[in-house]
Coordinates of all heavy atoms in Angstrom, one line a residue:
G1016 N 16.6 -31.1 59.4 CA 17.3 -29.9 59.9 C 16.6 -29.0 60.8 O 17.1 -27.9 61.2
L1017 N 15.3 -29.3 61.1 CA 14.5 -28.4 61.9 C 14.9 -28.6 63.4 O 15.3 -29.7 63.8 CB 13.0 -28.7 61.7 CG 12.5 -28.4 60.3 CD1 11.1 -28.8 60.1 CD2 12.7 -26.9 59.9
E1018 N 14.6 -27.6 64.2 CA 14.9 -27.6 65.6 C 13.7 -27.3 66.4 O 12.6 -27.0 65.9 CB 16.1 -26.6 66.0 CG 15.7 -25.2 65.6 CD 16.9 -24.3 65.9 OE1 18.0 -24.7 66.0 OE2 16.6 -23.0 66.0
D1019 N 13.8 -27.4 67.7 CA 12.7 -27.2 68.7 C 11.5 -28.1 68.3 O 10.3 -27.6 68.3 CB 12.3 -25.7 68.7 CG 13.4 -24.9 69.2 OD1 14.2 -25.3 70.0 OD2 13.4 -23.7 68.8
V1020 N 11.7 -29.3 67.8 CA 10.7 -30.1 67.3 C 9.8 -30.7 68.5 O 10.3 -31.1 69.5 CB 11.2 -31.3 66.5 CG1 10.1 -32.3 66.1 CG2 12.0 -30.8 65.3
Q1021 N 8.5 -30.6 68.3 CA 7.6 -31.1 69.4 C 6.3 -31.6 68.7 O 5.9 -31.2 67.6 CB 7.3 -30.0 70.3 CG 6.7 -28.7 69.7 CD 6.5 -27.6 70.7 OE1 5.7 -27.7 71.5 NE2 7.3 -26.5 70.5
T1022 N 5.6 -32.5 69.5 CA 4.3 -33.0 69.1 C 3.3 -32.7 70.1 O 3.5 -32.7 71.3 CB 4.4 -34.6 69.0 OG1 5.4 -34.9 68.0 CG2 3.1 -35.1 68.5
F1023 N 2.1 -32.3 69.6 CA 1.0 -31.9 70.5 C -0.3 -32.3 69.9 O -0.4 -32.6 68.7 CB 1.0 -30.4 70.9 CG 0.9 -29.5 69.6 CD1 -0.4 -29.1 69.3 CD2 1.9 -29.1 68.9 CE1 -0.6 -28.2 68.2 CE2 1.8 -28.3 67.8 CZ 0.5 -27.9 67.5
R1024 N -1.4 -32.3 70.7 CA -2.7 -32.7 70.2 C -3.6 -31.4 70.3 O -3.7 -30.7 71.3 CB -3.3 -33.8 71.1 CG -2.6 -35.1 70.9 CD -3.3 -36.2 71.7 NE -2.7 -37.5 71.4 CZ -3.1 -38.3 70.4 NH1 -4.1 -37.9 69.6 NH2 -2.5 -39.5 70.2
A1025 N -4.3 -31.2 69.2 CA -5.3 -30.1 69.1 C -6.2 -30.5 68.0 O -6.0 -30.1 66.8 CB -4.6 -28.8 68.9
G1026 N -7.2 -31.3 68.2 CA -8.1 -31.8 67.2 C -7.4 -32.8 66.3 O -7.7 -32.9 65.1
G1027 N -6.4 -33.4 66.8 CA -5.6 -34.4 66.1 C -4.1 -34.2 66.5 O -3.8 -33.4 67.4
V1028 N -3.2 -35.0 65.9 CA -1.8 -35.0 66.3 C -1.1 -34.0 65.3 O -1.2 -34.2 64.1 CB -1.2 -36.4 66.2 CG1 0.3 -36.3 66.5 CG2 -1.9 -37.4 67.2
W1029 N -0.3 -33.1 65.9 CA 0.4 -32.1 65.1 C 1.9 -32.2 65.5 O 2.2 -32.5 66.7 CB 0.0 -30.7 65.4 CG -1.5 -30.4 65.0 CD1 -2.6 -30.7 65.7 CD2 -1.9 -29.8 63.8 NE1 -3.7 -30.3 64.9 CE2 -3.3 -29.7 63.8 CE3 -1.2 -29.3 62.6 CZ2 -4.0 -29.1 62.7 CZ3 -1.9 -28.7 61.6 CH2 -3.3 -28.6 61.7
T1030 N 2.7 -32.0 64.5 CA 4.2 -32.0 64.8 C 4.7 -30.6 64.3 O 4.4 -30.2 63.2 CB 4.9 -33.1 64.0 OG1 4.3 -34.3 64.3 CG2 6.4 -33.2 64.5
L1031 N 5.5 -30.0 65.1 CA 6.0 -28.6 64.9 C 7.5 -28.6 64.9 O 8.1 -29.3 65.7 CB 5.4 -27.7 65.9 CG 5.8 -26.2 65.9 CD1 4.7 -25.3 66.4 CD2 7.1 -25.9 66.6
G1032 N 8.1 -27.9 63.9 CA 9.5 -27.7 63.9 C 9.9 -26.3 63.4 O 9.1 -25.7 62.7
R1033 N 11.1 -25.8 63.8 CA 11.5 -24.5 63.5 C 12.8 -24.5 62.6 O 13.7 -25.3 62.9 CB 11.7 -23.6 64.8 CG 12.0 -22.2 64.5 CD 12.7 -21.5 65.7 NE 11.9 -21.7 67.0 CZ 10.9 -21.0 67.3 NH1 10.6 -19.9 66.6 NH2 10.3 -21.2 68.5
K1034 N 12.8 -23.6 61.6 CA 14.0 -23.6 60.8 C 15.1 -22.8 61.6 O 14.8 -21.7 62.1 CB 13.7 -22.8 59.5 CG 14.8 -22.7 58.5 CD 14.4 -22.2 57.2 CE 15.5 -22.1 56.2 NZ 15.1 -21.5 54.9
P1035 N 16.3 -23.4 61.7 CA 17.4 -22.7 62.4 C 17.8 -21.3 61.9 O 17.6 -21.1 60.7 CB 18.5 -23.7 62.3 CG 17.9 -25.0 61.9 CD 16.7 -24.7 61.1
W1036 N 18.2 -20.5 62.7 CA 18.8 -19.2 62.3 C 20.2 -19.4 61.9 O 21.0 -19.9 62.7 CB 18.7 -18.2 63.5 CG 19.0 -16.8 63.1 CD1 20.2 -16.2 63.0 CD2 18.0 -15.8 62.7 NE1 20.1 -14.9 62.6 CE2 18.8 -14.6 62.4 CE3 16.7 -15.7 62.5 CZ2 18.2 -13.4 61.9 CZ3 16.1 -14.6 62.1 CH2 16.8 -13.4 61.8
P1037 N 20.6 -19.1 60.7 CA 22.0 -19.3 60.3 C 23.0 -18.5 61.1 O 22.8 -17.4 61.5 CB 22.0 -18.8 58.8 CG 20.6 -18.8 58.4 CD 19.8 -18.5 59.6
A1038 N 24.1 -19.2 61.5 CA 25.1 -18.5 62.3 C 25.8 -17.3 61.6 O 26.2 -16.4 62.3 CB 26.2 -19.6 62.6
E1039 N 25.7 -17.4 60.3 CA 26.3 -16.3 59.5 C 25.4 -15.1 59.3 O 25.8 -14.0 58.8 CB 26.7 -16.8 58.1 CG 27.6 -17.9 58.1 CD 26.9 -19.3 58.2 OE1 25.7 -19.2 58.3 OE2 27.6 -20.3 58.2
M1040 N 24.1 -15.2 59.8 CA 23.2 -14.1 59.6 C 23.0 -13.3 60.9 O 22.7 -13.9 61.9 CB 21.8 -14.7 59.2 CG 20.7 -13.7 58.9 SD 19.2 -14.4 58.3 CE 19.6 -15.0 56.7
D1041 N 23.3 -12.0 60.8 CA 23.2 -11.1 62.0 C 21.7 -10.7 62.1 O 20.9 -10.8 61.3 CB 24.1 -10.0 61.8 CG 24.4 -9.2 63.0 OD1 24.1 -9.7 64.1 OD2 24.8 -8.0 63.0
D1042 N 21.5 -10.1 63.3 CA 20.2 -9.5 63.7 C 20.4 -8.0 63.9 O 21.4 -7.6 64.5 CB 19.6 -10.2 64.9 CG 18.1 -9.8 65.1 OD1 17.5 -9.3 64.2 OD2 17.6 -10.1 66.2
W1043 N 19.4 -7.2 63.5 CA 19.4 -5.8 63.7 C 18.3 -5.4 64.6 O 17.2 -5.1 64.2 CB 19.3 -5.1 62.3 CG 19.7 -3.6 62.3 CD1 19.0 -2.6 62.9 CD2 20.9 -3.1 61.8 NE1 19.7 -1.4 62.7 CE2 20.9 -1.7 62.0 CE3 22.0 -3.6 61.1 CZ2 21.9 -0.8 61.6 CZ3 23.0 -2.7 60.7 CH2 23.0 -1.4 61.0
S1044 N 18.5 -5.4 65.9 CA 17.5 -5.3 66.9 C 17.2 -3.9 67.4 O 16.2 -3.6 68.0 CB 17.8 -6.2 68.2 OG 19.1 -5.8 68.7
H1045 N 18.1 -3.0 67.1 CA 18.0 -1.6 67.5 C 18.2 -0.6 66.3 O 18.6 -1.0 65.3 CB 19.1 -1.3 68.6 CG 18.9 -2.0 69.9 ND1 19.0 -3.4 70.0 CD2 18.6 -1.5 71.1 CE1 18.8 -3.7 71.3 NE2 18.6 -2.6 72.0
P1046 N 17.8 0.6 66.5 CA 18.0 1.6 65.4 C 19.3 1.6 64.9 O 19.6 1.8 63.7 CB 17.5 2.9 66.0 CG 16.6 2.6 67.1 CD 17.1 1.3 67.6
L1047 N 20.4 1.5 65.7 CA 21.8 1.5 65.3 C 22.4 0.1 65.6 O 23.3 -0.1 66.4 CB 22.6 2.6 66.0 CG 22.2 4.0 65.7 CD1 23.0 5.0 66.5 CD2 22.4 4.3 64.2
H1048 N 21.8 -0.9 65.0 CA 22.2 -2.3 65.0 C 21.9 -3.0 66.4 O 21.1 -3.8 66.5 CB 23.7 -2.4 64.6 CG 24.1 -3.8 64.7 ND1 25.1 -4.3 65.6 CD2 23.8 -4.9 63.9 CE1 25.3 -5.6 65.4 NE2 24.6 -6.0 64.4
G1049 N 22.7 -2.6 67.4 CA 22.6 -3.2 68.7 C 22.6 -2.2 69.8 O 22.7 -1.0 69.6
P1050 N 22.6 -2.7 71.1 CA 22.6 -1.8 72.2 C 23.9 -1.0 72.3 O 23.9 0.1 73.0 CB 22.5 -2.7 73.4 CG 22.9 -4.1 72.9 CD 22.5 -4.1 71.5
G1051 N 25.0 -1.4 71.6 CA 26.2 -0.6 71.7 C 26.2 0.6 70.8 O 27.0 1.5 70.9
G1052 N 25.2 0.7 69.9 CA 25.1 1.9 69.0 C 26.0 2.0 67.9 O 26.2 3.0 67.3
N1053 N 26.6 0.9 67.5 CA 27.5 0.8 66.4 C 26.8 0.3 65.2 O 26.4 -0.8 65.1 CB 28.7 -0.1 66.7 CG 29.7 -0.1 65.6 OD1 29.7 0.6 64.6 ND2 30.7 -1.0 65.7
P1054 N 26.5 1.2 64.2 CA 25.6 0.9 63.0 C 26.4 0.0 62.0 O 26.3 0.3 60.8 CB 25.3 2.2 62.5 CG 26.4 3.1 62.8 CD 27.0 2.6 64.0
V1055 N 27.0 -1.0 62.4 CA 27.7 -1.9 61.5 C 27.3 -3.4 61.7 O 27.4 -3.9 62.9 CB 29.3 -1.8 61.6 CG1 30.0 -2.8 60.7 CG2 29.7 -0.4 61.4
S1056 N 26.8 -4.0 60.7 CA 26.3 -5.4 60.8 C 27.4 -6.4 60.7 O 28.4 -6.2 60.0 CB 25.2 -5.6 59.8 OG 24.8 -7.0 59.8

């Protein structure tokens, strides 16, 4: 279930993957939630 999967070499072979951000989980990027200034998540 990981995304952005890639393989690279750095003193050996490495594989990297990222855990997805759930669609149901919001982000709070500003002091009042978002650029709109509405403090409701």
